[in-house]
Structure formats: structure tokens, C-alpha cells
């Protein structure tokens, strides 16, 4: 799993006084901010190990949220992985790249509603593909197949969900149903290695048992365990959010994620997490 890079919505949440183009509507289905594009391109290879890049390269299928920031991150991460490993992006030509509504963020605002940005999401992704195809591979069409697969499945999913209204995760119950549907989809396919590109809150819902809880000031492992004990005593657990371009790896078996590891959970970067279940691992994510 990879969380999207910094979006316009993330930027405005941190710096609400910033003036940007289409400032009153740009947060809707927010695109990547300039910093978000830098995160997904120039910084991503230094944020993860070569092993992670090789795992991305070895995926059998990619699932991506229909929100613009996730699709843009998916495109740029796949492009940057090829560039970093000195490979042509045609290596992904036979890999399904599928937009799925079930990978959407829970709807907190218009920033989480697909298709509400002033610019059409498909045009946005196509423009990014041309820009970074030329920048990385000296070929404006180098990323065309990746873009094409996203836009085709985006169209299909928009029709299936009746313009994103059906199955919209407006409440926790629908969010849980969507997650269960995607788990079932992953488990029912012959593909062994899946990549999901999506959102921070989605990841907390899915991987909550394996992500670190809120750390004490010193960030030590002992403090982390103590915090877990304190939250469990009160029937809950405050889970750290996966940061922009944060990565979670896990294995899925019998509907349960195990062997969860996270890179980029706020102050707990690169913390190796314990296994919470011991089922056989069949579907790495």
C-alpha cells in the first residue's frame, strides 16, 4: 500500500492562508500540490529501500482510488520506479491497473468526492503523463498505457457506481463493506502480489491492528508498548496516520492482514511492527 503525495487539500489544511489557483474549489477531489509531485518523483526513491522499488516492479495488479491525488501518485510512483531502476515503463504494459471505488477515502468533505475538481480527473492524469513522460523518458507517450488503463477503468467505475454515489463511503458501515469487498477481490484472484494506492484514513481502517499507536514524546518502543496498553485498557487504540507517500507492506490470508510493516507513520518512521496474526501468507500487498 502507498498513500498519495501531498494534495492541495493537505496543503490548505496546513497553511489555510495560502492563495492558490481556483483556491475556493481546488480542494475538491484535490490534485497533488507541487510538493506532492516532488514527493512522488524526486523524493520517493530516497524515502524507500531498493527492495520496495523491486516489490513495486514485481506486482501482478495495481488497485487505485478514483480520487485525483491517488491516481496521480500511482502514475508518478510507477514512472519513478522505472526511472530509478533504469527500465522502460512498458514493463507495466501487461499489468492490470484498476481504479476501484472501494479504495476511496471515507467522505469527510468535497475533497473526498471523485470528479468534483474544476479540472476533469482524466485530463489531469493525461497531462501529467505527457509532462513526466517527456521529463523522465524523453517521450511524451512513454506513460500512455498506464494513463490509458487508469482512465478506462475510471470510466467503468464511474458508470458502475452511478457517478460515484453508489457505495460512497459516507459512514463507517459502508467503509467497512468497501474494504471487505476489496479484500475479497484480492483474495479471489490468481494474482499473488497487489499494490494499492490510496489514502491515509483508509489505511488506518485496514491496517489498524498493525500500525503503531500514538507515540510518547521520546518515541521509544517501550513508550509505544505502554501507550498501547493504556489505550487497550480503555477499549480503544489511537493509530498513527501513514504520512504522504508512506508505505505499508502486509500479507493477506483468510481475510486478515498479517506481517504488517510501515514506513512513514509520522514520528515512528521505519518502525518494524510485530505480526498480529499467524495465518499462512498468500497475497502480499
Amino acid at each position: 500500500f502507498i498513500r498519495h503525495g501531498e494534495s492541495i487539500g493537505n496543503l490548505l489544511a496546513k497553511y489555510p492562508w495560502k492563495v492558490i489557483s481556483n483556491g475556493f474549489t481546488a480542494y475538491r477531489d484535490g490534485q497533488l500540490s507541487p510538493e506532492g509531485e516532488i514527493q512522488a518523483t524526486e523524493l520517493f526513491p530516497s524515502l524507500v529501500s531498493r527492495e520496495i522499488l523491486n516489490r513495486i516492479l514485481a506486482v501482478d495488479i495495481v488497485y487505485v482510488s478514483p480520487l485525483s491525488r491517488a491516481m496521480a501518485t500511482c502514475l508518478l510512483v510507477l514512472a519513478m520506479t522505472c526511472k530509478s531502476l533504469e527500465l522502460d515503463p512498458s514493463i507495466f504494459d501487461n499489468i492490470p491497473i484498476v481504479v476501484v471505488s472501494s479504495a476511496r477515502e471515507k467522505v469527510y468533505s468535497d475533497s473526498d468526492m471523485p470528479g468534483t475538481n474544476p479540472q476533469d480527473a482524466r485530463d489531469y492524469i493525461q497531462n501529467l503523463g505527457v509532462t513526466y513522460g517527456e521529463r523522465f523518458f524523453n517521450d511524451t507517450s512513454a506513460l500512455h498505457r498506464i494513463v490509458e488503463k487508469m482512465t478506462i477503468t475510471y470510466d467503468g467505475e464511474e458508470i458502475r457506481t452511478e457517478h460515484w454515489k453508489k457505495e460512497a463511503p459516507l459512514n463507517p458501515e459502508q467503509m467497512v463493506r468497501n474494504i471487505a469487498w476489496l479484500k475479497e477481490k484480492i483474495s479471489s484472484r490468481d494474482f499473488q502480489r497487489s499494490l494499492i494506492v490510496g489514502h491515509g484514513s483508509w489505511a488506518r481502517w485496514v491496517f489498524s491492528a498493525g500500525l503503531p499507536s500514538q507515540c510518547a514524546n521520546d518515541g521509544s518502543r517501550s513508550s509505544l508498548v505502554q501507550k498501547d496498553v493504556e489505550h487497550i485498557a480503555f477499549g480503544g487504540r489511537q493509530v498513527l496516520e501513514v504520512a504522504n507517500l508512506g508505505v505499508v507492506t502486509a500479507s493477506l490470508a483468510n481475510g486478515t492482514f498479517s506481517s504488517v510493516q510501515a514506513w512513514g507513520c509520522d514520528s515512528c518512521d521505519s518502525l518494524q511492527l510485530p505480526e498480529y496474526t499467524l495465518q499462512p501468507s498468500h497475497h502480499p500487498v
Side-chain angles (χ1 to χ4, degrees):
F1 170 87
I2 300 174
R3 186 190 174 191
H4 63 81
E6 182 188 75
S7 69
I8 294 297
N10 297 147
L11 177 66
L12 291 175
K14 289 191 296 185
Y15 309 108
W17 59 87
K18 276 191 176 285
V19 178
I20 58 174
S21 177
N22 296 320
F24 292 108
T25 56
Y27 77 97
R28 297 176 183 172
D29 189 9
Q31 301 172 355
L32 292 182
S33 69
E35 176 63 24
E37 289 190 28
I38 292 172
Q39 289 171 345
T41 53
E42 298 175 23
L43 298 181
F44 185 70
S46 64
L47 293 173
V48 299
S49 65
R50 190 176 181 88
E51 177 192 354
I52 295 295
L53 295 178
N54 285 326
R55 287 183 70 157
I56 293 171
L57 192 66
V59 298
D60 299 310
I61 189 168
V62 179
Y63 296 104
V64 57
S65 159
L67 290 162
S68 294
R69 56 193 182 271
M71 291 196 293
T73 299
C74 178
L75 172 65
L76 297 182
V77 163
L78 295 183
M80 197 62 199
T81 297
C82 291
K83 183 176 185 295
S84 298
L85 299 177
E86 299 182 348
L87 296 168
D88 190 274
S90 61
I91 196 168
F92 287 111
D93 280 0
N94 296 320
I95 304 299
I97 301 173
V98 185
V99 172
V100 286
S101 182
S102 54
R104 286 172 59 182
E105 184 70 289
K106 185 178 181 299
V107 177
Y108 297 102
S109 71
D110 285 346
S111 70
D112 303 317
M113 292 296 291
T116 54
N117 193 274
Q119 183 180 18
D120 184 88
R122 288 153 291 202
D123 291 342
Y124 169 56
I125 298 303
Q126 288 167 354
N127 291 342
L128 276 182
V130 170
T131 297
Y132 284 94
E134 171 136 33
R135 185 176 302 179
F136 290 164
F137 307 104
N138 297 315
D139 181 357
T140 57
S141 65
L143 301 175
H144 171 73
R145 286 289 293 130
I146 295 174
V147 170
E148 182 181 48
K149 285 185 275 191
M150 276 197 282
T151 55
I152 289 173
T153 55
Y154 180 97
D155 287 342
E157 196 72 339
E158 183 179 26
I159 293 169
R160 187 189 71 81
T161 59
E162 299 171 4
H163 300 288
W164 312 112
K165 295 176 183 177
K166 184 181 176 182
E167 302 172 10
L170 299 170
N171 54 59
E173 292 78 16
Q174 187 60 53
M175 188 75 173
V176 169
R177 285 193 290 269
N178 288 357
I179 291 168
W181 182 88
L182 186 53
K183 282 183 177 181
E184 177 60 29
K185 192 173 184 68
I186 294 172
S187 299
S188 66
R189 304 293 290 268
D190 292 332
F191 304 121
Q192 296 297 303
R193 296 173 297 273
S194 303
L195 170 63
I196 302 169
V197 183
H199 306 275
S201 292
W202 189 94
R204 289 206 284 183
W205 280 77
V206 175
F207 303 115
S208 57
L211 293 177
S213 62
Q214 299 286 359
C215 294
N217 290 336
D218 63 2
S220 66
R221 181 62 188 163
S222 60
S223 297
L224 181 62
V225 171
Q226 180 61 34
K227 278 289 185 182
D228 280 346
V229 171
E230 290 172 5
H231 291 308
I232 289 171
F234 290 96
R237 187 168 175 272
Q238 295 179 343
V239 179
L240 282 175
E241 186 172 46
V242 177
N244 292 124
L245 261 296
V247 175
V248 178
T249 61
S251 295
L252 175 64
N254 302 321
T256 302
F257 283 107
S258 63
S259 304
V260 178
Q261 290 182 269
W263 291 263
C265 284
D266 294 342
S267 60
C268 294
D269 288 354
S270 302
L271 174 66
Q272 183 165 336
L273 303 165
E275 292 188 16
Y276 282 81
T277 57
L278 299 176
Q279 289 95 337
S281 302
H282 300 299
H283 296 275
V285 176

